[in-house]
Amino acid sequence: HEEAKQILLKAAKVNKVTIPDDVLNDETQKKDTKHYTALDLVRTPNLCLMNIICCYNWMVVSMVYYGLSLNTGSLAGNIYLNFFISGAVEIPAYYLSWWLLDVIGRPKCHMG
């Protein structure tokens, strides 16, 4: 705990901010600690809907990605050129996804 306090104090000094005393107090942290379980992800309707949408998006994106990646060899034309193009398309896609996450945020990227 002492090492973490030193890191927080150093970060606060670099950022020129002050950390409230109750943040560094161990007793306050122990009182406010709540234990969460996986059931907390579906307790409210809003959280349940968001989790269902995120899981669905994850499944669809994974299936499309692996479907396209694994079927590159069956496309018409030169197999090596097709593989190169499918790999080269990923580089701008990674940068575009990072930029979109910064601009519009993670929830909108998942929900859109």
Side-chain angles (χ1 to χ4, degrees), residues 3 7 11 13-14 19 22 44 50 53 58 60 68 70 85 92 98 101 104:
E3 183 181 356
I7 292 171
K13 184 178 177 184
V14 168
I19 298 177
D22 59 341
T44 64
M50 288 179 70
I53 291 172
W58 182 24
V60 169
L68 291 174
L70 294 175
I85 292 172
W98 286 339
L101 285 173
I104 63 174

Side-chain angles (χ1 to χ4, degrees), residues 5-108:
K5 284 183 185 178
Q6 295 302 321
I7 292 171
L8 285 174
L9 289 172
K10 184 177 178 182
K13 184 178 177 184
V14 168
N15 292 324
K16 297 176 184 159
V17 296
T18 57
I19 298 177
D21 292 333
D22 59 341
V23 171
L24 299 176
N25 191 358
D26 288 337
E27 295 170 10
T28 307
Q29 297 294 331
K30 290 179 183 175
K31 282 189 239 176
D32 295 339
T33 303
K34 290 179 74 175
H35 297 285
Y36 296 102
T37 64
L39 289 177
D40 291 322
L41 294 173
V42 293
R43 287 200 194 274
T44 64
N46 191 25
L47 272 177
C48 186
L49 179 65
M50 288 179 70
N51 280 310
I52 289 171
I53 291 172
C54 284
C55 289
Y56 178 75
N57 281 347
W58 182 24
M59 180 187 67
V60 169
V61 167
S62 296
M63 286 181 165
V64 168
Y65 176 78
Y66 286 113
L68 291 174
S69 297
L70 294 175
N71 279 330
T72 303
S74 64
L75 292 174
N78 188 351
I79 188 170
Y80 299 109
L81 181 62
N82 291 340
F83 184 74
F84 173 76
I85 292 172
S86 70
V89 165
E90 289 188 24
I91 295 170
Y94 287 136
Y95 288 113
L96 179 66
S97 64
W98 286 339
W99 180 75
L100 283 174
L101 285 173
D102 284 340
V103 171
I104 63 174
R106 188 174 303 268
K108 289 183 182 175

